[in-house]
Amino acid sequence: MSRILIVEDESHIAQGLRFNLEAEGHTVEISGNGEDALKRLLRQGEKFDLVVLDVMLPGKDGFSVASELRQHHNFIPVLMLTARGRPEDVLKGFESGADDYLPKPFNLDILIARISGLLRRKSWLQTVQESRPPQADEFRFAAKVVDFQKLQLRNGENVFQLTLMESDLLRYLIRNSGRPVTRKEILEQVWGLKEDTDTRAIDNFIVRLRRYIESEPSRPQHLLTVRGLGYQFVAEPQKH
Ligand code: CA
Protein backbone atom coordinates (compact mmCIF):
# COMPACT_ATOMS: atom_id res chain seq x y z
CA MET A 1 0.00 0.00 0.00
CA SER A 2 1.00 3.60 -0.37
CA ARG A 3 2.43 6.25 1.87
CA ILE A 4 0.56 9.53 1.57
CA LEU A 5 1.41 12.97 2.93
CA ILE A 6 -1.53 15.28 3.65
CA VAL A 7 -0.58 18.95 3.79
CA GLU A 8 -3.49 20.70 5.44
CA ASP A 9 -3.67 23.10 8.38
CA GLU A 10 -7.34 22.47 9.18
CA SER A 11 -6.93 19.60 11.54
CA HIS A 12 -10.48 18.22 11.28
CA ILE A 13 -10.14 17.91 7.49
CA ALA A 14 -6.67 16.36 7.77
CA GLN A 15 -7.79 13.88 10.43
CA GLY A 16 -10.91 12.93 8.46
CA LEU A 17 -8.82 12.32 5.38
CA ARG A 18 -6.31 10.29 7.30
CA PHE A 19 -9.04 8.14 8.80
CA ASN A 20 -10.53 7.37 5.40
CA LEU A 21 -7.25 6.82 3.59
CA GLU A 22 -6.06 4.51 6.34
CA ALA A 23 -9.30 2.59 5.95
CA GLU A 24 -8.27 2.13 2.32
CA GLY A 25 -5.04 0.56 3.55
CA HIS A 26 -2.68 3.51 3.09
CA THR A 27 -0.16 4.87 5.53
CA VAL A 28 -0.81 8.55 6.15
CA GLU A 29 1.24 11.40 7.59
CA ILE A 30 0.06 14.96 8.15
CA SER A 31 1.94 18.22 7.69
CA GLY A 32 0.26 21.34 9.06
CA ASN A 33 2.07 23.78 6.79
CA GLY A 34 4.06 24.07 3.58
CA GLU A 35 7.45 24.62 5.20
CA ASP A 36 7.15 21.39 7.14
CA ALA A 37 6.03 19.50 4.04
CA LEU A 38 8.99 20.79 2.00
CA LYS A 39 11.37 19.94 4.83
CA ARG A 40 10.15 16.37 4.92
CA LEU A 41 9.97 15.87 1.16
CA LEU A 42 13.11 17.71 0.08
CA ARG A 43 15.57 18.18 2.91
CA GLN A 44 14.85 15.03 4.90
CA GLY A 45 14.08 13.04 1.77
CA GLU A 46 11.18 11.17 3.34
CA LYS A 47 9.62 8.72 0.92
CA PHE A 48 6.00 9.25 0.03
CA ASP A 49 3.98 8.00 -2.94
CA LEU A 50 1.61 10.93 -3.17
CA VAL A 51 0.90 14.35 -1.66
CA VAL A 52 -2.56 15.77 -0.98
CA LEU A 53 -1.82 19.48 -0.93
CA ASP A 54 -4.20 22.16 0.27
CA VAL A 55 -3.82 25.57 -1.36
CA MET A 56 -4.79 27.65 1.66
CA LEU A 57 -2.01 27.15 4.17
CA PRO A 58 -0.40 29.44 6.73
CA GLY A 59 2.89 30.81 5.39
CA LYS A 60 3.78 29.19 2.10
CA ASP A 61 0.67 28.33 0.11
CA GLY A 62 0.09 25.15 -1.84
CA PHE A 63 1.14 26.71 -5.13
CA SER A 64 4.57 27.62 -3.76
CA VAL A 65 4.98 24.18 -2.24
CA ALA A 66 4.20 22.46 -5.56
CA SER A 67 6.48 24.68 -7.59
CA GLU A 68 9.35 24.29 -5.12
CA LEU A 69 9.00 20.53 -5.33
CA ARG A 70 9.16 20.64 -9.12
CA GLN A 71 12.08 23.10 -9.08
CA HIS A 72 13.96 20.58 -7.00
CA HIS A 73 13.11 17.83 -9.49
CA ASN A 74 10.78 16.10 -7.10
CA PHE A 75 7.97 14.75 -9.29
CA ILE A 76 5.88 13.02 -6.67
CA PRO A 77 2.19 12.99 -7.72
CA VAL A 78 0.42 16.02 -6.22
CA LEU A 79 -3.34 16.23 -5.80
CA MET A 80 -4.22 19.82 -5.01
CA LEU A 81 -7.24 20.94 -3.01
CA THR A 82 -8.47 24.28 -4.35
CA ALA A 83 -11.24 26.62 -3.25
CA ARG A 84 -14.50 26.12 -5.10
CA GLY A 85 -15.47 28.70 -7.68
CA ARG A 86 -11.95 29.94 -8.22
CA PRO A 87 -10.87 28.83 -11.70
CA GLU A 88 -7.72 30.90 -11.26
CA ASP A 89 -6.75 28.48 -8.50
CA VAL A 90 -7.01 25.61 -10.94
CA LEU A 91 -4.85 27.48 -13.44
CA LYS A 92 -2.23 28.34 -10.85
CA GLY A 93 -2.33 24.79 -9.53
CA PHE A 94 -1.52 23.30 -12.90
CA GLU A 95 1.11 25.93 -13.52
CA SER A 96 2.79 25.17 -10.25
CA GLY A 97 3.01 21.51 -11.20
CA ALA A 98 0.01 19.81 -9.61
CA ASP A 99 -1.07 16.58 -11.31
CA ASP A 100 -4.71 16.82 -10.43
CA TYR A 101 -7.00 18.99 -8.37
CA LEU A 102 -10.24 18.82 -6.50
CA PRO A 103 -12.29 21.82 -5.36
CA LYS A 104 -13.21 22.09 -1.69
CA PRO A 105 -15.49 20.98 -0.18
CA PHE A 106 -14.76 17.69 -1.88
CA ASN A 107 -16.72 14.48 -2.08
CA LEU A 108 -14.72 11.86 -0.23
CA ASP A 109 -15.41 9.06 -2.72
CA ILE A 110 -14.22 11.23 -5.58
CA LEU A 111 -11.10 12.22 -3.67
CA ILE A 112 -10.24 8.59 -2.97
CA ALA A 113 -10.89 7.69 -6.61
CA ARG A 114 -8.59 10.47 -7.80
CA ILE A 115 -5.87 9.38 -5.37
CA SER A 116 -6.18 5.77 -6.55
CA GLY A 117 -5.94 6.96 -10.14
CA LEU A 118 -2.73 8.89 -9.50
CA LEU A 119 -1.21 6.01 -7.52
CA ARG A 120 -2.08 3.48 -10.23
CA ARG A 121 -0.35 5.58 -12.83
CA LYS A 122 2.68 6.05 -10.62
CA SER A 123 3.08 2.33 -9.99
CA TRP A 124 2.52 1.63 -13.66
CA LEU A 125 5.30 4.10 -14.50
CA GLN A 126 7.64 2.48 -11.99
CA THR A 127 6.95 -1.01 -13.33
CA VAL A 128 7.68 0.17 -16.83
CA GLN A 129 10.89 1.88 -15.74
CA GLU A 130 12.16 -1.03 -13.69
CA SER A 131 11.44 -3.74 -16.23
CA ARG A 132 12.97 -1.70 -19.08
CA PRO A 133 11.01 -3.19 -21.93
CA PRO A 134 12.75 -3.23 -25.32
CA GLN A 135 9.86 -1.27 -26.77
CA ALA A 136 10.45 2.29 -25.67
CA ASP A 137 7.46 4.57 -25.28
CA GLU A 138 8.92 7.44 -27.23
CA PHE A 139 7.76 9.81 -29.88
CA ARG A 140 10.27 11.56 -32.14
CA PHE A 141 9.55 14.56 -34.26
CA ALA A 142 11.62 17.39 -35.73
CA ALA A 143 14.77 16.53 -33.74
CA LYS A 144 12.81 16.28 -30.51
CA VAL A 145 12.06 13.23 -28.41
CA VAL A 146 9.20 12.76 -25.98
CA ASP A 147 9.92 9.92 -23.58
CA PHE A 148 6.57 9.03 -22.05
CA GLN A 149 8.15 6.55 -19.65
CA LYS A 150 10.60 8.95 -18.09
CA LEU A 151 8.21 11.89 -18.55
CA GLN A 152 10.94 13.77 -20.36
CA LEU A 153 11.03 15.91 -23.42
CA ARG A 154 14.42 16.32 -25.08
CA ASN A 155 14.87 19.21 -27.43
CA GLY A 156 18.51 19.49 -28.50
CA GLU A 157 20.60 20.08 -25.39
CA ASN A 158 17.58 20.81 -23.25
CA VAL A 159 15.81 18.15 -21.24
CA PHE A 160 12.47 19.11 -19.74
CA GLN A 161 10.79 17.05 -17.05
CA LEU A 162 7.06 16.79 -17.72
CA THR A 163 4.34 16.47 -15.13
CA LEU A 164 1.85 13.62 -15.60
CA MET A 165 -0.70 16.15 -16.81
CA GLU A 166 1.64 17.67 -19.38
CA SER A 167 2.67 14.26 -20.62
CA ASP A 168 -0.94 13.10 -20.97
CA LEU A 169 -1.97 16.22 -22.83
CA LEU A 170 0.97 15.97 -25.22
CA ARG A 171 0.34 12.28 -25.84
CA TYR A 172 -3.30 12.97 -26.64
CA LEU A 173 -2.45 15.77 -29.06
CA ILE A 174 0.19 13.61 -30.75
CA ARG A 175 -2.18 10.67 -31.08
CA ASN A 176 -4.74 12.93 -32.67
CA SER A 177 -2.37 14.88 -34.87
CA GLY A 178 -3.99 15.58 -38.19
CA ARG A 179 -7.14 17.01 -36.64
CA PRO A 180 -8.00 19.83 -34.29
CA VAL A 181 -8.79 18.84 -30.73
CA THR A 182 -11.27 20.97 -28.79
CA ARG A 183 -10.66 22.24 -25.28
CA LYS A 184 -13.76 20.44 -24.05
CA GLU A 185 -12.48 17.18 -25.53
CA ILE A 186 -9.15 17.66 -23.76
CA LEU A 187 -10.89 18.27 -20.44
CA GLU A 188 -12.99 15.14 -20.84
CA GLN A 189 -10.58 12.76 -22.55
CA VAL A 190 -7.27 13.74 -21.00
CA TRP A 191 -8.20 14.96 -17.57
CA GLY A 192 -11.45 13.05 -17.07
CA LEU A 193 -13.27 16.23 -16.10
CA LYS A 194 -16.97 16.42 -16.80
CA GLU A 195 -17.52 19.46 -14.68
CA ASP A 196 -17.63 22.95 -16.03
CA THR A 197 -13.96 23.75 -15.67
CA ASP A 198 -12.52 26.95 -17.03
CA THR A 199 -10.90 25.93 -20.30
CA ARG A 200 -8.17 28.54 -19.89
CA ALA A 201 -6.39 25.93 -17.81
CA ILE A 202 -5.66 24.17 -21.07
CA ASP A 203 -4.36 27.29 -22.77
CA ASN A 204 -1.80 27.69 -19.99
CA PHE A 205 -0.69 24.11 -20.47
CA ILE A 206 -0.24 24.71 -24.17
CA VAL A 207 1.85 27.79 -23.39
CA ARG A 208 4.12 25.60 -21.28
CA LEU A 209 4.39 22.83 -23.82
CA ARG A 210 5.23 25.40 -26.47
CA ARG A 211 8.10 26.65 -24.35
CA TYR A 212 9.55 23.13 -24.39
CA ILE A 213 8.91 22.35 -28.02
CA GLU A 214 8.83 25.49 -30.13
CA SER A 215 11.91 27.45 -31.15
CA GLU A 216 9.69 30.56 -31.22
CA PRO A 217 6.82 29.92 -28.78
CA SER A 218 4.94 32.97 -30.05
CA ARG A 219 5.01 31.56 -33.59
CA PRO A 220 4.29 27.88 -33.00
CA GLN A 221 5.06 25.32 -35.70
CA HIS A 222 3.95 22.18 -33.87
CA LEU A 223 1.26 23.13 -31.36
CA LEU A 224 -1.07 25.20 -33.47
CA THR A 225 -4.08 27.17 -32.28
CA VAL A 226 -7.11 26.41 -34.40
CA ARG A 227 -9.27 29.49 -34.04
CA GLY A 228 -12.68 28.82 -32.55
CA LEU A 229 -11.89 25.15 -32.04
CA GLY A 230 -8.84 24.30 -30.00
CA TYR A 231 -5.42 22.93 -30.80
CA GLN A 232 -3.74 20.72 -33.35
CA PHE A 233 -0.40 18.97 -33.18
CA VAL A 234 1.77 18.93 -36.30
CA ALA A 235 4.87 16.73 -36.16
CA GLU A 236 6.60 17.90 -39.31
CA PRO A 237 5.48 21.37 -40.35
CA GLN A 238 5.55 22.18 -44.06
CA LYS A 239 8.58 24.21 -45.10
CA HIS A 240 7.70 27.46 -46.78
CA1 CA B 1 -6.18 24.97 4.65
Side-chain angles (χ1 to χ4, degrees), residues 71-104:
Q71 276 160 22
H72 287 85
H73 300 279
N74 183 315
F75 291 94
I76 186 169
V78 170
L79 176 73
M80 196 171 260
L81 301 177
T82 64
R84 185 179 286 287
R86 283 179 52 99
E88 60 269 37
D89 275 7
V90 178
L91 296 181
K92 276 181 81 174
F94 286 150
E95 278 172 350
S96 60
D99 293 296
D100 202 355
Y101 81 97
L102 210 56
K104 270 181 160 182

Side-chain angles (χ1 to χ4, degrees), residues 214-230:
E214 307 284 358
S215 39
E216 275 186 88
S218 56
R219 298 177 57 195
Q221 304 287 305
H222 299 288
L223 281 175
L224 310 183
T225 302
V226 182
R227 196 175 284 261
L229 270 178

Side-chain angles (χ1 to χ4, degrees), residues 151-184:
L151 298 180
Q152 280 179 351
L153 194 151
R154 298 196 292 280
N155 185 354
E157 300 282 286
N158 298 317
V159 178
F160 302 98
Q161 191 73 39
L162 303 173
T163 64
L164 286 170
M165 297 287 261
E166 290 170 340
S167 163
D168 281 355
L169 173 57
L170 190 54
R171 187 197 286 269
Y172 190 79
L173 287 165
I174 288 172
R175 277 196 181 146
N176 291 283
S177 60
R179 73 174 179 92
V181 174
T182 66
R183 291 176 179 81
K184 184 168 180 287

Side-chain angles (χ1 to χ4, degrees), residues 7-10 13 54-58 104:
V7 190
E8 166 65 275
D9 58 311
E10 286 163 273
I13 295 180
D54 188 37
V55 167
M56 299 291 281
L57 294 168
K104 270 181 160 182

Side-chain angles (χ1 to χ4, degrees), residues 1-219:
M1 276 290 121
S2 299
R3 195 152 182 264
I4 298 173
L5 181 65
I6 296 171
V7 190
E8 166 65 275
D9 58 311
E10 286 163 273
S11 139
H12 67 286
I13 295 180
Q15 298 295 344
L17 263 177
R18 165 146 77 185
F19 177 81
N20 284 284
L21 288 170
E22 283 178 350
E24 296 286 310
H26 302 299
T27 307
V28 178
E29 298 278 327
I30 296 172
S31 258
N33 62 69
E35 284 292 355
D36 179 64
L38 285 170
K39 187 175 86 188
R40 298 178 74 161
L41 288 163
L42 294 177
R43 291 191 282 290
Q44 296 175 348
E46 276 192 62
K47 294 286 173 232
F48 288 96
D49 299 295
L50 182 136
V51 179
V52 178
L53 179 60
D54 188 37
V55 167
M56 299 291 281
L57 294 168
K60 258 183 197 153
D61 66 12
F63 304 123
S64 315
V65 173
S67 39
E68 276 193 44
L69 282 176
R70 299 325 188 202
Q71 276 160 22
H72 287 85
H73 300 279
N74 183 315
F75 291 94
I76 186 169
V78 170
L79 176 73
M80 196 171 260
L81 301 177
T82 64
R84 185 179 286 287
R86 283 179 52 99
E88 60 269 37
D89 275 7
V90 178
L91 296 181
K92 276 181 81 174
F94 286 150
E95 278 172 350
S96 60
D99 293 296
D100 202 355
Y101 81 97
L102 210 56
K104 270 181 160 182
F106 50 82
N107 172 303
L108 194 59
D109 289 336
I110 292 178
L111 180 94
I112 286 172
R114 295 277 181 92
I115 287 175
S116 308
L118 283 172
L119 288 171
R120 259 201 313 277
R121 294 184 50 208
K122 180 175 182 279
S123 66
W124 175 82
L125 265 168
Q126 270 171 353
T127 314
V128 173
Q129 278 167 1
E130 280 158 14
S131 60
R132 292 186 180 278
Q135 193 100 45
D137 188 6
E138 289 186 345
F139 181 79
R140 291 166 186 272
F141 66 104
K144 290 166 257 286
V145 184
V146 193
D147 186 330
F148 289 108
Q149 284 174 24
K150 294 184 185 156
L151 298 180
Q152 280 179 351
L153 194 151
R154 298 196 292 280
N155 185 354
E157 300 282 286
N158 298 317
V159 178
F160 302 98
Q161 191 73 39
L162 303 173
T163 64
L164 286 170
M165 297 287 261
E166 290 170 340
S167 163
D168 281 355
L169 173 57
L170 190 54
R171 187 197 286 269
Y172 190 79
L173 287 165
I174 288 172
R175 277 196 181 146
N176 291 283
S177 60
R179 73 174 179 92
V181 174
T182 66
R183 291 176 179 81
K184 184 168 180 287
E185 183 184 342
I186 292 172
L187 281 179
E188 291 182 0
Q189 299 298 318
V190 183
W191 297 347
L193 295 176
K194 295 280 181 212
E195 59 225 78
D196 216 11
T197 315
D198 192 315
T199 54
R200 279 177 307 171
I202 295 161
D203 301 347
N204 285 34
F205 260 77
I206 297 285
V207 167
R208 277 166 60 179
L209 289 175
R210 278 180 180 151
R211 265 185 237 142
Y212 306 150
I213 292 172
E214 307 284 358
S215 39
E216 275 186 88
S218 56
R219 298 177 57 195

